[in-house]
Amino acid sequence: MSARDLQKLILSARFQVVGAIFFVIFLPTYARSGFSMDAFLRTPQIETVLGASLAVILGYFFYSRISVFSSAQSERFILFIFTFSFLLAAFMFFMFRLEYTRTTLVLCYFACCIWFLTFDFLKRRLARFKLSIVPIGRVEDLEAIDTVKWQRMEKPEDFNPDATGIVVDLRADLPPEWEHFLADKALSGIQVFHVKQIKETLLGKVEIEHLSENTLGSLNPNQAYLEIKQTFDWVCALAVLIVFSPIFLLVSICIKLDSPGPVLFKQVRKGYRGSNFVVYKFRTMTDSKATDTRAVESSDSSQVSEHADAPRQSAITKNNDDRITRVGRFLRRTRIDELPQLLNILRDEMSWIGPRPEALVLSEWYERELPYYSYRHIVRPGITGWAQVTQGHVADVDEVLEKLHYDFYYIKNFSMWLDVLIVLRTLRTVLTGHGAK
């Protein structure tokens, strides 16, 4: 077996899962039994091994689905994922009154996290993409992506046999020698990627120039998941609103004591299928400077243009905006100011996760300036979204265009797994305040 084959085996899903069950569950449990098979085969030990093994399989299943999204940086979420799977195992032990060894389960959990963190590190170090570039067409900015080892070929003979694949602009007019080269490599099992496909995978955003490039096979996202998600959103919003109503009352009192003005901020925004609706937020700015507009608390855009008209400028929250109150700054950093949008979810106007709705004046301007901007309204807007947890705060119209590409990526990859990843990243944002103004 060659070194490359050995590396592939070690980094394979089968080896990682089977190895985890054997090395971090079976062997430690067997050792705690004094290497006595009679002691090991007792009911508590066997049920602990089975429960921990199921937790490993379930956790790796979640991990493999989330790590599909390139910019997920999934190593940061291994602890979240396996904590959830082992807590689920402990819950099942409790619910079905099964005998298990608590200490052994906890040791298996920590060993499992170390095991998969180690393999994730090895995967990122040893299995880093090595891609060769066909130097024709729109490939000039690929080498700026530093998560890949690039090789720019001048002629077909320059191809590196150790490369993971080949990147080419398939829309370009390729000379016959390059066409033959690509056909031969594809037939030999080498992956050939279109430049836009590989950029989407590596950067987590979709630059749509033609609506036909939504390769889902339809311009509409999965309708079944849309309906399931809507039901789940509604149930969760109602539960959170009931359970945390005392906290909402406390926040309301703090806002009233901090500065004069209403507790809630209301603003007309464009939402699902292009319909207008009124969005609700906790007020985070002084009311005295907002009497001439209802759009001062847009939290998704910054300075759009030096020459923007007054209504559009009033819809913009600037960096370190002096209109933000003391309580408002905390509410923005923790995203608590967004929670009144639970009312919008209950009214089927919003979702927990989706593209952020813009102020009406901004949305109408973006639709005139940016191609296919209105396509982002094909799903319900969300309290949090892929653009927010990936890009963070935007500063000008070019960054708004980039945010649009992230929205397109979310729509194209619309699924439960991407939503789970966004939830995990949102939790990190709430804890760190990343991306807040």
Side-chain angles (χ1 to χ4, degrees), residues 334-372:
T334 58
R335 301 304 194 273
I336 293 175
D337 64 316
E338 308 284 358
L339 288 181
Q341 290 161 44
L342 295 174
L343 298 173
N344 294 113
I345 295 178
L346 293 176
R347 295 169 60 174
D348 290 335
E349 296 167 334
M350 290 184 65
S351 169
W352 283 97
I353 300 170
R356 285 293 295 151
E358 290 283 9
L360 187 59
V361 63
L362 288 176
S363 183
E364 291 175 348
W365 186 69
Y366 292 151
E367 286 179 10
R368 294 193 298 269
E369 298 293 324
L370 303 176
Y372 306 113

Side-chain angles (χ1 to χ4, degrees), residues 44 103 142 149 196 307 340 346:
T103 303
L142 281 175
K149 292 181 179 178
K196 296 193 72 170
H307 308 289
L346 293 176

Side-chain angles (χ1 to χ4, degrees), residues 131-132 134 159 164-170 174 178 181-195 197-198:
L131 296 174
S132 296
V134 175
F159 177 68
T164 310
I166 302 169
V167 182
V168 58
D169 184 355
L170 295 176
L174 298 173
W178 283 109
F181 164 77
L182 293 173
D184 290 341
K185 293 305 176 185
L187 290 173
S188 66
I190 301 295
Q191 288 185 294
V192 177
F193 303 100
H194 179 39
V195 59
Q197 175 191 3
I198 202 68

Side-chain angles (χ1 to χ4, degrees), residues 247-248 251-252 255 262-267 269 279-285 296-300 317 324-344 350 352 356 382-384 388 426 429-430 433-437:
I247 295 178
F248 293 168
V251 171
S252 300
I255 292 172
V263 169
L264 290 181
F265 165 78
K266 302 176 184 179
Q267 182 186 64
R269 297 191 180 186
V279 72
Y280 301 98
K281 297 175 65 175
F282 282 125
R283 181 176 59 82
T284 60
M285 289 186 176
V296 296
E297 300 213 15
S298 172
S299 61
D300 303 315
T317 302
I324 301 175
T325 63
R326 290 173 300 174
V327 170
R329 201 166 300 281
F330 171 77
L331 297 179
R332 283 173 173 267
R333 186 181 67 81
T334 58
R335 301 304 194 273
I336 293 175
D337 64 316
E338 308 284 358
L339 288 181
Q341 290 161 44
L342 295 174
L343 298 173
N344 294 113
M350 290 184 65
W352 283 97
R356 285 293 295 151
I383 294 178
T384 185
Q388 280 63 46
T426 301
T429 298
V430 169
H434 171 73
K437 296 188 199 56

